[in-house]
Amino acid sequence: WPGRGADGYIRAAGFKKGAALFCWACVLSTLGMGGMAQANAAADALCIWGMPRWLCAVLLTGAALLFAGRSLSAVGKLTERLVPVMTALFLVLCAGVLIRFPDRILPALESIVCGPFGLRPCLGGAAGYGVARAISQGVVRGAFTNEAGLGTGPLAYGSCRGGKPDVMGVLASVQVFIDTPVLCTLTAVCLLCAGWAPGTDGAALCLSAFSNAWG
Protein backbone atom coordinates (compact mmCIF):
# COMPACT_ATOMS: atom_id res chain seq x y z
CA TRP A 1 0.00 0.00 0.00
CA PRO A 2 1.37 3.46 -0.84
CA GLY A 3 -0.41 4.86 2.21
CA ARG A 4 -3.21 4.35 4.68
CA GLY A 5 -6.17 4.79 2.38
CA ALA A 6 -7.19 7.19 -0.37
CA ASP A 7 -4.88 9.97 0.83
CA GLY A 8 -1.87 7.69 0.20
CA TYR A 9 -2.96 7.06 -3.38
CA ILE A 10 -3.60 10.76 -3.98
CA ARG A 11 -0.17 11.59 -2.56
CA ALA A 12 1.49 8.85 -4.64
CA ALA A 13 -0.10 10.33 -7.76
CA GLY A 14 1.69 13.61 -7.05
CA PHE A 15 -1.20 15.62 -5.61
CA LYS A 16 0.10 16.43 -2.11
CA LYS A 17 -2.30 19.34 -1.64
CA GLY A 18 -5.19 17.11 -2.72
CA ALA A 19 -4.16 14.51 -0.14
CA ALA A 20 -4.08 17.19 2.57
CA LEU A 21 -7.50 18.46 1.49
CA PHE A 22 -8.88 14.91 1.65
CA CYS A 23 -7.51 14.46 5.19
CA TRP A 24 -9.09 17.70 6.39
CA ALA A 25 -12.38 16.68 4.80
CA CYS A 26 -12.18 13.38 6.73
CA VAL A 27 -11.60 15.30 9.98
CA LEU A 28 -14.65 17.50 9.38
CA SER A 29 -16.72 14.45 8.39
CA THR A 30 -15.66 12.61 11.53
CA LEU A 31 -16.65 15.51 13.75
CA GLY A 32 -19.87 16.55 12.03
CA MET A 33 -21.22 13.26 10.67
CA GLY A 34 -19.50 10.87 13.05
CA GLY A 35 -18.71 12.06 16.55
CA MET A 36 -21.48 14.61 17.10
CA ALA A 37 -24.27 12.63 15.45
CA GLN A 38 -23.33 9.34 17.12
CA ALA A 39 -22.90 10.95 20.54
CA ASN A 40 -26.32 12.59 20.20
CA ALA A 41 -27.89 9.26 19.19
CA ALA A 42 -26.28 7.54 22.18
CA ALA A 43 -27.52 10.27 24.50
CA ASP A 44 -31.06 9.98 23.13
CA ALA A 45 -30.98 6.25 23.84
CA LEU A 46 -29.58 6.65 27.36
CA CYS A 47 -32.12 9.38 28.17
CA ILE A 48 -34.89 6.82 27.66
CA TRP A 49 -33.56 5.09 30.80
CA GLY A 50 -33.65 8.37 32.74
CA MET A 51 -29.96 9.33 32.47
CA PRO A 52 -29.46 13.13 32.38
CA ARG A 53 -28.09 14.42 29.10
CA TRP A 54 -25.18 16.19 30.82
CA LEU A 55 -24.11 12.89 32.38
CA CYS A 56 -24.24 11.26 28.95
CA ALA A 57 -21.95 14.01 27.65
CA VAL A 58 -19.47 13.46 30.51
CA LEU A 59 -19.37 9.68 30.02
CA LEU A 60 -19.03 9.84 26.23
CA THR A 61 -16.35 12.54 26.42
CA GLY A 62 -14.44 10.50 28.99
CA ALA A 63 -14.59 7.42 26.79
CA ALA A 64 -13.36 9.44 23.79
CA LEU A 65 -10.46 10.94 25.78
CA LEU A 66 -9.51 7.49 27.05
CA PHE A 67 -8.78 6.32 23.52
CA ALA A 68 -7.85 9.64 21.87
CA GLY A 69 -4.14 9.09 22.39
CA ARG A 70 -4.11 5.42 21.39
CA SER A 71 -2.88 4.12 18.07
CA LEU A 72 -5.22 3.02 15.29
CA SER A 73 -4.30 -0.62 15.94
CA ALA A 74 -5.26 -0.28 19.63
CA VAL A 75 -8.65 1.16 18.72
CA GLY A 76 -9.04 -1.60 16.13
CA LYS A 77 -8.40 -4.28 18.75
CA LEU A 78 -11.13 -2.77 20.94
CA THR A 79 -13.68 -2.53 18.16
CA GLU A 80 -12.99 -6.06 16.88
CA ARG A 81 -14.13 -7.27 20.32
CA LEU A 82 -17.04 -4.88 20.77
CA VAL A 83 -18.63 -5.06 17.32
CA PRO A 84 -19.36 -8.83 17.32
CA VAL A 85 -20.94 -8.54 20.78
CA MET A 86 -23.01 -5.53 19.72
CA THR A 87 -24.13 -7.27 16.53
CA ALA A 88 -25.07 -10.47 18.35
CA LEU A 89 -27.06 -8.55 20.98
CA PHE A 90 -28.88 -6.58 18.29
CA LEU A 91 -29.75 -9.77 16.38
CA VAL A 92 -31.09 -11.36 19.57
CA LEU A 93 -33.32 -8.33 20.23
CA CYS A 94 -34.56 -8.33 16.63
CA ALA A 95 -35.28 -12.06 16.85
CA GLY A 96 -37.29 -11.35 19.99
CA VAL A 97 -39.46 -8.87 18.08
CA LEU A 98 -40.06 -11.32 15.22
CA ILE A 99 -40.95 -14.09 17.67
CA ARG A 100 -43.33 -11.74 19.46
CA PHE A 101 -45.14 -10.67 16.26
CA PRO A 102 -44.78 -13.50 13.71
CA ASP A 103 -48.05 -12.61 11.98
CA ARG A 104 -46.79 -9.10 11.15
CA ILE A 105 -43.60 -10.13 9.33
CA LEU A 106 -45.11 -10.72 5.88
CA PRO A 107 -47.25 -7.54 5.96
CA ALA A 108 -44.12 -5.59 6.96
CA LEU A 109 -42.12 -7.01 4.06
CA GLU A 110 -45.03 -6.32 1.72
CA SER A 111 -45.22 -2.70 2.82
CA ILE A 112 -41.46 -2.30 2.23
CA VAL A 113 -41.60 -3.78 -1.27
CA CYS A 114 -44.98 -2.51 -2.43
CA GLY A 115 -45.30 0.72 -0.45
CA PRO A 116 -43.18 2.91 -2.75
CA PHE A 117 -45.33 1.98 -5.75
CA GLY A 118 -48.70 3.05 -4.34
CA LEU A 119 -50.75 5.98 -5.60
CA ARG A 120 -49.77 8.36 -2.80
CA PRO A 121 -45.96 7.97 -3.11
CA CYS A 122 -46.22 8.09 -6.92
CA LEU A 123 -48.09 11.39 -6.76
CA GLY A 124 -45.54 12.73 -4.29
CA GLY A 125 -42.72 11.66 -6.58
CA ALA A 126 -44.39 13.27 -9.57
CA ALA A 127 -44.61 16.53 -7.63
CA GLY A 128 -40.85 16.44 -7.08
CA TYR A 129 -40.82 16.57 -3.29
CA GLY A 130 -40.92 12.83 -2.82
CA VAL A 131 -37.99 12.19 -5.16
CA ALA A 132 -35.79 14.83 -3.52
CA ARG A 133 -36.59 13.57 -0.04
CA ALA A 134 -36.06 9.93 -1.03
CA ILE A 135 -32.65 10.71 -2.53
CA SER A 136 -31.53 12.84 0.44
CA GLN A 137 -32.69 10.26 2.99
CA GLY A 138 -31.08 7.46 0.99
CA VAL A 139 -27.72 9.25 0.88
CA VAL A 140 -27.86 10.18 4.58
CA ARG A 141 -28.87 6.71 5.77
CA GLY A 142 -26.38 5.02 3.46
CA ALA A 143 -23.53 7.22 4.64
CA PHE A 144 -24.35 6.60 8.29
CA THR A 145 -24.84 2.84 8.04
CA ASN A 146 -21.88 1.75 5.96
CA GLU A 147 -19.80 4.87 5.11
CA ALA A 148 -19.57 3.68 1.50
CA GLY A 149 -18.25 6.51 -0.67
CA LEU A 150 -17.10 8.73 2.21
CA GLY A 151 -13.47 7.65 1.93
CA THR A 152 -13.16 6.80 5.63
CA GLY A 153 -13.41 3.02 5.21
CA PRO A 154 -10.08 2.71 3.33
CA LEU A 155 -8.35 4.35 6.30
CA ALA A 156 -9.17 1.27 8.36
CA TYR A 157 -8.60 -1.30 5.63
CA GLY A 158 -5.39 0.40 4.53
CA SER A 159 -3.92 0.00 8.02
CA CYS A 160 -4.21 -3.80 7.92
CA ARG A 161 -0.63 -5.04 7.71
CA GLY A 162 -0.10 -7.81 5.21
CA GLY A 163 -3.58 -7.45 3.73
CA LYS A 164 -3.78 -7.81 -0.03
CA PRO A 165 -5.73 -5.07 -1.88
CA ASP A 166 -8.08 -7.53 -3.59
CA VAL A 167 -8.91 -9.28 -0.29
CA MET A 168 -9.47 -5.95 1.47
CA GLY A 169 -11.75 -4.84 -1.37
CA VAL A 170 -13.87 -7.98 -1.08
CA LEU A 171 -14.13 -7.58 2.70
CA ALA A 172 -15.21 -3.96 2.30
CA SER A 173 -17.93 -5.00 -0.17
CA VAL A 174 -19.17 -7.78 2.10
CA GLN A 175 -19.28 -5.31 4.99
CA VAL A 176 -21.60 -3.00 3.05
CA PHE A 177 -23.86 -5.91 2.08
CA ILE A 178 -24.18 -7.25 5.63
CA ASP A 179 -24.65 -3.82 7.12
CA THR A 180 -27.23 -2.37 4.72
CA PRO A 181 -29.31 -4.96 2.81
CA VAL A 182 -29.27 -7.43 5.72
CA LEU A 183 -29.19 -5.53 9.02
CA CYS A 184 -31.05 -2.41 7.84
CA THR A 185 -33.82 -4.49 6.28
CA LEU A 186 -34.08 -6.52 9.48
CA THR A 187 -34.30 -3.29 11.47
CA ALA A 188 -37.05 -1.93 9.23
CA VAL A 189 -39.08 -5.14 9.56
CA CYS A 190 -38.77 -5.05 13.35
CA LEU A 191 -39.85 -1.40 13.46
CA LEU A 192 -42.90 -2.10 11.32
CA CYS A 193 -43.80 -5.16 13.40
CA ALA A 194 -43.45 -3.59 16.84
CA GLY A 195 -44.05 0.11 16.20
CA TRP A 196 -42.27 2.99 17.91
CA ALA A 197 -42.90 6.03 20.06
CA PRO A 198 -43.60 9.26 18.14
CA GLY A 199 -40.68 11.66 17.88
CA THR A 200 -37.93 9.07 18.33
CA ASP A 201 -35.07 8.53 15.92
CA GLY A 202 -31.83 6.61 15.63
CA ALA A 203 -30.92 4.25 18.45
CA ALA A 204 -33.86 5.51 20.50
CA LEU A 205 -36.17 4.45 17.67
CA CYS A 206 -34.96 0.84 17.89
CA LEU A 207 -35.13 0.82 21.69
CA SER A 208 -38.70 2.05 21.47
CA ALA A 209 -39.59 -0.86 19.18
CA PHE A 210 -37.89 -3.37 21.48
CA SER A 211 -39.75 -1.87 24.43
CA ASN A 212 -43.09 -2.18 22.60
CA ALA A 213 -42.35 -5.85 21.97
CA TRP A 214 -41.11 -6.91 25.41
CA GLY A 215 -41.56 -4.01 27.80
Side-chain angles (χ1 to χ4, degrees), residues 42-56 59 207:
D44 286 342
L46 292 172
C47 286
I48 292 180
W49 294 331
M51 183 177 292
R53 190 168 288 270
W54 66 266
L55 182 57
C56 299
L59 292 176
L207 286 177

Side-chain angles (χ1 to χ4, degrees), residues 49-153:
W49 294 331
M51 183 177 292
R53 190 168 288 270
W54 66 266
L55 182 57
C56 299
V58 171
L59 292 176
L60 293 171
T61 302
L65 291 175
L66 183 63
F67 291 96
R70 304 292 182 92
S71 65
L72 186 62
S73 60
V75 177
K77 290 179 180 179
L78 173 68
T79 54
E80 75 180 8
R81 289 174 172 80
L82 284 179
V83 171
V85 175
M86 291 162 49
T87 304
L89 178 60
F90 185 75
L91 290 175
V92 168
L93 292 171
C94 288
V97 173
L98 300 181
I99 292 172
R100 180 73 172 78
F101 304 107
D103 56 320
R104 300 182 184 179
I105 297 176
L106 288 180
L109 289 171
E110 182 182 1
S111 66
I112 292 174
V113 175
C114 301
F117 303 103
L119 179 61
R120 183 175 179 182
C122 286
L123 290 175
Y129 173 77
V131 173
R133 182 167 177 79
I135 293 175
S136 65
Q137 286 297 311
V139 171
V140 168
R141 298 301 181 185
F144 270 102
T145 55
N146 55 51
E147 299 188 26
L150 285 181
T152 51

